Amino acid sequence: MSAPSVPAKLGRLVVVGLGLIGGSFAKGMREKGLFGEVVGVDLDAESRRLAVELGVVDRCETDLAAACQGAAVIQLAVPILAMEKLLAQLARFDLGDALLTDVGSAKGNVVRAARLAFAGDNPRFVPGHPIAGSEQSGVEAANAGLFRRHKVILTPLDSTDPAALALIDGLWRALGADVEHMQVEHHDQVLAATSHLPHLLAFTLVDSLAKRSENLEIFRYAAGGFRDFTRIAGSDPVMWHDIFLANREAVLRTLDAFRDDLDALRDAVDAGDGHQLLGVFTRARVAREHFSKILARRAYVDAMHSNDLIFLANPGGSLSGRIRVPGDKSISHRSIMLGSLAEGTTEVEGFLEGEDALATLQAFRDMGVVIEGPHHGRVTIHGVGLNGLKPPPGPLYVGNSGTSMRLLSGLLAGQPFDTTLTGDASLSKRPMNRVAKPLREMGAIIETGPEGRPPLTIKGGQRLTGMHYEMPMASAQVKSCLLLAGLYAAGETAVTEPAPTRDHTERMLRGFGYPVAVDGSVARVESGHKLSATHIEVPADISSAAFFLVAASIAEGSELVLEHVGINPTRTGVIDILKLMGADISLENQREVGGEPVADLRVRAAKLKGIDIPEDLVPLAIDEFPVLFIAAACAEGRTVLRGAEELRVKESDRIQVMADGLLALGVKAEPTPDGIIIDGGPIGGGEVWSHGDHRIAMSFSVASLRATAPIRIHDCANVATSFPNFLGLAAQAGIRVAEEGKA
Ligand code: S3P
């Protein structure tokens, strides 16, 4: 965050209107000591008296002109309909160099009033709106901390003086606010939708029910739902009356759109159209959560340090018992994608309720697919067929998930509508040319950000043509992306991989009845077939099980069973590598569910030794290296990894980040361009940083089993992307890790 652009000491601040907002601004500024003096103006004598008594201002003035004469900043915090008169009065004074700003909740009318008063644009007027109202009102509720971590929207005009804007921006930031700049019209439209419409609905619902003859009856039985929905109908009627008159046009637009949606729901109820109702309700249920996540992630990027989730892993412990780790991430993503494109209703069990797979789920909801759940891993997808997706209302935000972005890009390249795919800070740094380039060769039109990074903007309505692509890297995401594009491309699409990569897409396409030909390293699809709904049972994720395979191997006295783990041969490199190092892992109860092999894995502690990791195992253990490095640190002798440069472009640069962490714990680890050299030895305690990478955070949690002192692991929030209950299961199995402060 940039430092506030506020000079050391300003002259006088005048706050006109000493209500909750004006009073809180005055009090906050007074406490910060940025102004020589803070002067209040209010028509109400009692408010003036209280303002001085409560230390909100240094003094009050009854004469507006005297207060403003020679002021540095004048803050207008009167009711919005009083703004016009106030501005007209101010325009008659000689304001010298004073900056004007305001806090009105609609901006169009204030800007118009200012233009009228000053006979044109006033470059020293900076319109603003702090979003920090509360049920309380009046100067007695003034609170210097009211704006901390609240949004303040400034709506400068082209003519606004940049220095004036910077100063007002700096003042709000000094109060701890998150300041954003917006166009006036955009501000009014956004507020009409997010604040004004809900208040209108609450007022009208209560009034409409209260008018009925049976109203007593209705209110007597009105339970939580009514109470929750109508809480805001208790807001100040005069203030809201002002706001609706002030923001008339934007409110009308939002209200009309809402009325259309309400009519559509009415028709659905009338016609008994349960599908339509379910669609609206399921989308709405998750939308709130989804949006808050997007917003939280934005804030997370801005304020990385204040939102640092720290794991504290205490040394020692051993593992025992039987656990089932959550569902496979790769298979969960694909179940939503193919279930959505299938004809009929697909039931999924064991779905991973982690943020990555949920991002895929939300993307399909945004494209009109009705999806019920997830509830305890159960998801019901009402497939729309290969050509049934609808244009999403805005960009598809896929958070941290590379799999969502890369697989979706292939599928979206074949749709008749345009889409944009965006992600969080980590995903926004990852390479997308690996999919954009071959898709373009098939006829897709895709734009990326600089250097092939997200966002991806995909132009719809393009004719794709199948091709034979030789992948330059062993990537299941690229392969899957192209096979999905192949469902929409003329003729045959074939992908050759330089080494075997996970084949869940090929297996699941077949499970949905879509023919896929696999011949050695080449997978082929042809368009013109369809997907038929099916039942999918997602096995436990071997990539999540891997943390416990290593944990139980390195912690003396351990014996642990991991139930129902997917052991697809394209994923079992971690077992092979650990066995080469001397681990004691046996596969029990091997069986096949829904086209994927599964087994219970029994693992006992063993003395591990360092090895040269065979390069052909790298793609088969690609996600498990962070925790394998922990195994290497606990092994006797040297472990060498080569041919793994892909690790540098995962959720973090996993070679560098792991090497840094291991070194911090006193382990000898030397990164190389395509791998790492680790000498086993004692592990100390210390501080490590996961750089927002879920697998790094979990790997260092495992390291604590052999550490001599606690390990503090920073930046662990993203563990929720792949393993939501990691801390719970880790504690249950015997790893002494917990969120710091919540042990
Ligand atoms: C995945 C493929 C792998 C893996 C990722 C999931 C998939 O990525 O690292 O976690 O589901 O297809 P690459 O294909 O980039 O190696």
Side-chain angles (χ1 to χ4, degrees), residues 170-300:
L171 292 182
W172 284 113
R173 283 185 202 275
L175 296 182
D178 298 328
V179 185
E180 286 186 24
H181 298 185
M182 238 184 227
Q183 297 276 331
V184 172
E185 299 71 28
H186 188 209
H187 168 276
D188 285 359
Q189 200 59 54
V190 168
L191 267 289
T194 55
S195 170
H196 307 170
L197 179 65
H199 278 84
L200 195 82
L201 297 181
F203 283 128
T204 186
L205 178 69
V206 176
D207 184 52
S208 162
L209 295 188
K211 271 195 315 225
R212 303 219 190 137
S213 54
E214 71 277 32
N215 64 49
L216 242 188
E217 193 62 1
I218 290 174
F219 286 105
R220 179 157 354 125
Y221 295 109
F226 177 81
R227 254 202 309 270
D228 288 350
F229 185 81
T230 57
R231 179 181 61 79
I232 50 178
S235 306
D236 180 357
V238 178
M239 181 180 116
W240 281 98
H241 144 276
D242 281 16
I243 290 176
F244 284 109
L245 296 179
N247 199 21
R248 180 171 172 274
E249 288 84 10
V251 167
L252 288 179
R253 267 196 301 276
T254 301
L255 194 55
D256 288 346
F258 181 73
R259 208 161 52 177
D260 291 345
D261 290 342
L262 201 58
D263 284 345
L265 263 192
R266 191 196 174 282
D267 292 348
V269 173
D270 189 20
D273 183 352
H275 187 257
Q276 162 81 359
L277 295 175
L278 201 58
V280 174
F281 299 165
T282 46
R283 283 198 302 276
R285 181 177 168 176
V286 292
R288 272 190 74 207
E289 203 187 333
H290 182 68
F291 288 132
S292 17
K293 232 174 252 164
I294 296 176
L295 294 175
R297 197 50 61 85
R298 288 227 177 100
Y300 184 74

Side-chain angles (χ1 to χ4, degrees), residues 329-330 334 403 406 434 474-477 502 622-623 650:
K329 183 150 76 78
S330 296
R334 288 155 172 87
T403 308
R406 298 212 179 103
R434 54 180 61 199
S475 167
Q477 292 181 351
R502 64 192 68 192
I622 192 70
D623 291 335
K650 292 293 178 189

Side-chain angles (χ1 to χ4, degrees), residues 485-551:
L487 306 183
Y488 296 91
E492 183 187 86
T493 301
V495 186
T496 302
E497 52 189 10
T501 67
R502 64 192 68 192
D503 62 356
H504 305 300
T505 306
E506 298 90 304
R507 284 176 190 250
M508 201 183 287
L509 277 169
R510 286 197 186 124
F512 276 89
Y514 203 102
V516 182
V518 178
D519 183 7
S521 59
V522 190
R524 295 187 161 80
V525 292
E526 235 179 292
S527 55
H529 302 276
K530 64 175 188 143
L531 294 138
S532 308
T534 185
H535 183 104
I536 295 175
E537 207 185 308
V538 182
D541 197 330
I542 190 168
S543 297
S544 298
F547 300 105
F548 292 94
L549 292 177
V550 171

